Amino acid sequence: MSKQQSSPVLLREDRGAVAILTLNRPDKLNALSNELIAGIMNALNSIELDSSVRVVVITGAGRAFSAGADIAAFHKHMQAGPADAIMHFMRPGHQMTRRVESYPKPIILKKAVTVRPEQESPHLLTTVIG
């Protein structure tokens, strides 16, 4: 991979009936850029048609699941005007949220929580949608 190429923003690993999607922008705390949103939408579309996959797990690389919207990208769209920001930034995010909420297969959002050694056991923060 050359210096100009970057890692894919979304990784997919299938483990039996489970598709694991990993948000892969750890340097940006997995903030949702248009590229990442498109990757999630494409992956969900593909997984929906795959009868061997029964559940989707979405997790984040690095120390954060996701910081939410990529504000730097949003700012660029705002400079072009509010209509541009709505059309090219906010709308894709809303469409992805609706897609996740209405997805026909269970989606589990998962991020391990860092635990200090003096704590009794590791904890897992998991939200189930669907």
Side-chain angles (χ1 to χ4, degrees):
M1 189 176 291
S2 74
K3 283 188 173 188
Q4 289 185 326
Q5 289 180 322
S6 60
S7 299
V9 295
L10 184 71
L11 305 173
R12 177 178 172 180
E13 176 187 355
D14 289 354
R15 293 186 195 169
V18 179
I20 302 168
L21 302 178
T22 302
L23 310 181
N24 193 34
R25 297 184 72 212
D27 55 321
K28 300 288 185 181
L29 300 177
N30 299 314
L32 296 170
S33 63
N34 283 350
E35 181 183 8
L36 182 52
I37 290 168
I40 293 168
M41 294 289 281
N42 290 334
L44 291 176
N45 290 340
S46 174
I47 292 166
E48 182 176 5
L49 299 174
D50 186 342
S51 62
S52 68
V53 175
R54 299 191 54 190
V55 66
V56 179
V57 174
I58 303 176
T59 189
R63 64 186 178 102
F65 174 76
S66 176
D70 185 338
I71 300 304
F74 178 67
H75 181 70
K76 291 175 189 173
H77 288 290
M78 280 301 292
Q79 288 178 329
D84 186 85
I86 290 169
M87 174 68 75
H88 300 289
F89 189 81
M90 295 174 71
R91 188 169 294 155
H94 292 160
Q95 289 169 338
M96 183 198 65
T97 300
R98 285 191 301 276
R99 179 77 166 122
V100 168
E101 290 172 342
S102 64
Y103 201 66
K105 298 179 183 187
I107 296 178
I108 300 170
L109 305 179
K110 176 187 136 207
K111 182 62 187 170
V113 176
T114 303
V115 180
R116 292 187 304 271
E118 63 273 11
Q119 291 178 317
E120 290 182 19
S121 63
H123 299 282
L124 188 64
L125 176 62
T126 305
T127 303
V128 179
I129 298 177

